Amino acid sequence: MISRSGPKLKQAAALPKARKQTVLNTFRRDYQLWIMILPAVVVIFIFNYIPMYGIQLAFRDYSFTKGLTGGEWRGLFYFRQFFENYMFVDLLKNTVVISVATIVLSFPAPIILALLINQVRLKRAKKTLQTTVYLPHFISTVVMVGLLSVLLSPNSGIIGHLLQWLGLGDVNLLGSTKTFVPVYVLSEIWQHGGWNSIIYLAALSTVDPQLYDSAKMDGASRWQTIRYVDIPALVPTIIILFVLSMGSVLGTGFEKVFLMQNPLNLPVSEVIATYVYKIGIISSQFSYSAAIGLFNTVINFIFLFVMNMIAKRCSDISLW
């Protein structure tokens, strides 16, 4: 009998060398592009990966004198402490409700806005509309919350007076547990919807103009053009951005929620991010707050990984 294992072994041994040469050839061919992204890679490594050394703080008793690595090893003690905390369920529920409501309502908003802007044919009107919807993004969060406080005030705010004129009485929208989430989500849409539409407009700009001409010759209406030309062109971008948004399901922004908090809406506005700040910075429970933050990050990563896997199976579009 003639053994053929020899050639197969040689081929298997040659694979790593071939892959190595392929990687080297890629670097040689596109070295300008690698040089361009090198500063970004260095910044991400310094500010995102090196600080991960401090994750061990979640498993130790932090001491100012002993540093990050000198405290007593406590294992999962602080994680159990958080899970057994009477506020755990409320914090998780508030965070999920605000995050999911923001994703469900604010994610389609820039897509719809981009589709509408793309239908504007007059260049001057289109540029004016784009500039108008982009501007709120550049308003700082502090100013935004200040505007909300002034406009929604039941005594002196325009919207407060409008609600009184409609016969709804003195409604404190920022002080009500029923209206806090809608106010938060709607203000997010108003502030960032226009800016987030840029990437969808960029995707629409790559559509072949011949497709629009063909649709027009076939007698397609504007709605049919949007349905059969624009939306299919946006699908890959929509999937990628939706997968990325799943990485922040428990990552509700700290600053805006914290600034909008008051004793009246605290039962629905206390989220994990604000609780970590109060426990870690104000109460100086650094190990406990680090454990909560690590739990939050792990859950976000799991959501991102699972959603990426689902997107890859269903549409063959994914981050990796």
Side-chain angles (χ1 to χ4, degrees), residues 11 66-67 114 116-117 131 143 153 168 176 179 182 197 199 212 215 219 221 233-234 237 261 263 275 290 292 294 309:
Q11 290 178 2
K66 297 180 181 179
L116 294 176
I117 293 175
T131 303
V143 175
S153 173
L168 298 177
S176 172
T179 58
S197 68
I199 191 167
Y212 293 115
S221 62
L234 290 179
T237 304
Q261 277 185 355
Y275 184 72
I292 300 173
L294 182 58
M309 185 173 61

Side-chain angles (χ1 to χ4, degrees), residues 146-223:
L147 286 173
L148 291 176
S149 299
V150 172
L151 294 174
L152 301 180
S153 173
N155 299 321
S156 58
I158 297 175
I159 297 178
H161 284 304
L162 179 62
L163 293 176
Q164 290 179 5
W165 181 74
L166 293 173
L168 298 177
D170 296 336
V171 181
N172 188 356
L173 296 177
L174 285 179
S176 172
T177 56
K178 296 180 179 179
T179 58
F180 175 83
V181 176
V183 169
Y184 178 88
V185 174
L186 291 176
S187 62
E188 281 287 298
I189 296 173
W190 177 69
Q191 185 175 13
H192 301 297
W195 181 259
N196 292 336
S197 68
I198 292 177
I199 191 167
Y200 298 108
L201 286 170
L204 289 172
S205 67
T206 63
V207 177
D208 190 346
Q210 293 181 0
L211 293 176
Y212 293 115
D213 295 337
S214 300
K216 190 174 182 180
M217 291 178 63
D218 292 338
S221 62
R222 287 200 174 188
W223 163 244

Side-chain angles (χ1 to χ4, degrees), residues 95-100 103 244-252 296 299-300 303-304:
T95 304
V96 170
V97 167
I98 294 176
S99 297
V100 171
I103 292 173
L244 289 173
S245 68
M246 287 295 102
S248 58
V249 169
L250 295 185
T252 306
N296 193 18
I299 297 299
N300 285 333
F303 270 102
L304 176 64

Side-chain angles (χ1 to χ4, degrees), residues 2-3 20 22 45 58 62 75 84 89 93 127-128 156 171 182 193 201 238 266 291 302 307 309 320:
I2 299 173
S3 175
K20 189 180 292 186
T22 303
F45 178 75
Y62 177 71
E84 294 170 359
V89 175
K93 183 185 71 174
K127 290 181 179 179
T128 303
S156 58
V171 181
L201 286 170
I238 291 173
L266 199 60
I302 291 173
M307 186 54 63
M309 185 173 61
W320 62 82

Side-chain angles (χ1 to χ4, degrees), residues 258-308:
F258 181 73
L259 291 172
M260 291 178 65
Q261 277 185 355
N262 58 57
L264 297 176
N265 62 33
L266 199 60
V268 295
S269 64
E270 188 72 286
V271 295
I272 292 177
T274 57
Y275 184 72
V276 167
Y277 168 76
K278 294 173 183 177
I279 291 295
I281 304 300
I282 298 178
S283 301
S284 300
Q285 300 182 44
F286 300 110
S287 296
Y288 184 39
S289 61
I292 300 173
L294 182 58
F295 163 78
N296 193 18
T297 303
V298 169
I299 297 299
N300 285 333
F301 176 76
I302 291 173
F303 270 102
L304 176 64
F305 185 84
V306 171
M307 186 54 63
N308 184 74

